[in-house]
Amino acid sequence: MRALLVVNPAATTTSARTRDVLIHALASEMKLEAVTTEYRGHARDLGRRAADSDDIELVVALGGDGTVNEVVNGLLHKGPDPDRLPRLAVVPGGSTNVFARALGLPNDAVEATGAILDALARRSERTVGLGLAGGTPGTEDESVPSRWFTFCAGFGFDAGVVGRVEQQRERGKRSTHALYVRQVVRQFLQEPHRRHGVITLDRPGEDPVKGLVLSIVCNTSPWSYLGNRALYASPRASFDTALDVLGLTSLSPSAVARYATQLLTSTPDRGPHGRHAASLHDLTDFTLHSKAPLPFQMDGDHLGVRTSVTFTGVRRALRVIV
């Protein structure tokens, strides 16, 4: 088997020595080309190269969720074709690794590599669905190119938190769970629309859902992790269905306390709920509009501000090794 290993040298939880050990372990079982990323978007370019090749059968992403997202967008640059495209394997190297953990892989890079090699020996794989988000026709964002996401997207409050975390990391702060908690508090204190939401969700054949302050789009469950604690924003979300949405119409202090507690104590059977919470399951096509420009994120990557985003849930988009 010929495989391409995409290595993010800035991955927060793997050292250079660990990466060398993993490369040797993988190279012992396949014809491996290892490439270290050198710039933002490099992993996407490598995924594109693999998709266009005639002989690469497997792409291994060694890094965090951002690296995985880039590789996936490169692989699917001409659209999903799971029977033709190389398979994807993920070795978690980031701070949270939601996609890898949602697939059931260990959150340790060495253990995950062993699990991937075992899965390859057993020919164990699955085909997962993905989300696609792009500009909405007829709006000022219609020229924004479409982009795939593996586990979540956010429009509004949570995307603002992601943007704040990225700013802190650019200033040299480490990506820790404490950093995220601090930025959640700061975003709440400065959120201008927390009592009167400006987001509307439109979907074909249904009444619009208006007045959302926060909108989280999930392609799988859990939505994220706080340390080893899984957080279930949309417990029914799955790689085997389309997209789920959790929307909140209020972020008053009492509502924040209620829904934060529900999220921290959420389970695979129960997520945030109540009169200010809207939970929608298995949506194939919908659009989120805002009366004001709001921050937007996909797979934990802040993508600036938007006023409208159109989403598509695509079942059976990519084969992954599990």
Side-chain angles (χ1 to χ4, degrees), residues 1-276:
M1 175 186 293
R2 185 178 174 204
L4 172 66
L5 173 63
V6 179
V7 182
N8 180 0
T12 56
T13 58
T14 57
S15 65
R17 179 175 296 178
T18 300
R19 291 192 290 272
D20 286 343
V21 170
L22 300 181
I23 290 171
H24 284 301
L26 292 167
S28 69
E29 300 294 332
M30 61 192 74
K31 185 177 180 181
L32 185 72
E33 177 188 3
V35 181
T36 299
T37 58
E38 299 176 355
Y39 53 86
R40 186 164 186 161
H42 194 182
R44 180 200 59 223
D45 294 342
L46 293 169
R48 180 190 295 258
R49 194 191 91 192
D52 293 339
S53 73
D54 294 326
D55 56 354
I56 295 178
E57 300 175 70
L58 174 69
V59 177
V60 183
L62 197 172
D65 289 310
T67 302
V68 175
N69 180 278
E70 285 195 14
V71 169
V72 167
N73 274 277
L75 284 171
L76 273 66
H77 75 103
K78 292 182 180 177
D81 189 351
D83 293 330
R84 182 191 65 82
L85 290 173
R87 291 166 291 171
L88 173 70
V90 179
V91 177
S95 58
T96 311
N97 308 305
V98 178
F99 182 65
R101 294 163 83 175
L103 288 171
L105 290 168
N107 196 35
D108 176 83
V110 175
E111 292 183 11
T113 300
I116 289 168
L117 291 174
D118 288 344
L120 287 168
R122 301 193 316 270
R123 299 181 182 272
S124 176
E125 61 181 56
R126 65 181 291 192
T127 304
V128 301
L130 297 172
L132 183 67
T136 303
T139 71
E140 61 187 57
D141 293 319
E142 66 178 339
S143 62
V144 175
S146 295
R147 178 167 169 170
W148 296 92
F149 60 97
T150 64
F151 66 92
C152 85
F155 189 42
F157 182 85
D158 83 300
V161 174
V162 170
R164 289 176 178 274
V165 170
E166 286 194 6
Q167 289 177 349
Q168 294 299 313
R169 292 187 66 181
E170 289 171 358
R171 295 170 184 167
K173 300 288 187 180
R174 291 185 64 249
S175 179
T176 64
H177 299 296
L179 175 64
Y180 274 89
V181 172
R182 289 196 299 271
Q183 302 316 310
V184 167
V185 174
R186 290 174 181 172
Q187 181 68 23
F188 169 74
L189 294 174
Q190 298 179 28
E191 173 59 55
H193 309 294
R194 67 188 186 195
R195 292 183 181 273
H196 303 286
V198 295
I199 301 171
T200 297
L201 186 151
D202 284 322
R203 49 186 170 144
E206 301 288 346
D207 292 334
V209 181
K210 299 181 178 181
L212 299 177
V213 181
L214 173 152
S215 51
I216 296 173
V217 182
C218 293
N219 184 52
T220 188
S221 188
W223 161 63
S224 190
Y225 292 84
L226 187 61
N228 291 323
R229 180 185 292 277
L231 305 178
Y232 297 88
S234 297
R236 293 190 293 168
S238 166
F239 287 128
D240 299 320
T241 61
L243 302 173
D244 283 28
V245 180
L246 171 67
L248 298 181
T249 58
S250 174
L251 283 180
S252 66
S254 60
V256 167
R258 181 185 313 115
Y259 294 119
T261 299
Q262 290 180 357
L263 191 59
L264 289 171
T265 59
S266 58
T267 70
D269 300 315
R270 191 167 179 81
H273 56 279
R275 68 187 183 95
H276 294 300

